[in-house]
Amino acid sequence: MKRFLGALIATLTLTLAISCTTSHPVAINGDIGSKRGESTGQIICGLIFLGNGDILDAAKNGGITHVSTVDIRTTNILGGLYIKSTTIVSGE
């Protein structure tokens, strides 16, 4: 029984401690461009939403009028209790 509880506690601890960050391109339209802008959105416990992380805000933050590339970087901490998504655009 002690081994089972130890294994259960270790499994739960590892599950909660998992953190994952992924980054992938969403769209490419011509050259990369010299300007870069970011916009970040966060979700806490699936209930609290901070920021929006959309392409329009990212372009505005970088002073971009013609978007060339769009990348999204997502960080997931504690099995989805905290999620951060950053939209990165480049262009002119």
Side-chain angles (χ1 to χ4, degrees):
M1 185 67 170
K2 286 184 179 180
R3 279 189 188 169
F4 175 74
L5 287 177
L8 180 64
I9 291 171
T11 302
L12 290 175
T13 302
L14 288 174
T15 300
L16 290 176
I18 291 174
S19 174
C20 178
T21 299
T22 60
S23 181
H24 58 278
V26 176
I28 300 174
N29 180 21
D31 295 330
I32 291 177
S34 60
K35 297 180 182 177
R36 183 173 185 256
E38 294 186 4
S39 179
T40 300
Q42 301 172 27
I43 303 171
I44 302 169
C45 296
L47 301 171
I48 302 168
F49 298 89
L50 306 170
N52 57 12
D54 68 2
I55 295 171
L56 184 60
D57 280 347
K60 191 184 304 181
N61 291 341
I64 298 170
T65 56
H66 176 74
V67 175
S68 297
T69 66
V70 178
D71 294 317
I72 296 177
R73 182 176 53 231
T74 305
T75 302
N76 184 345
I77 298 175
L78 295 174
L81 290 177
Y82 174 79
I83 301 170
K84 177 180 175 183
S85 179
T86 303
T87 302
I88 306 158
V89 300
S90 66
E92 297 297 328

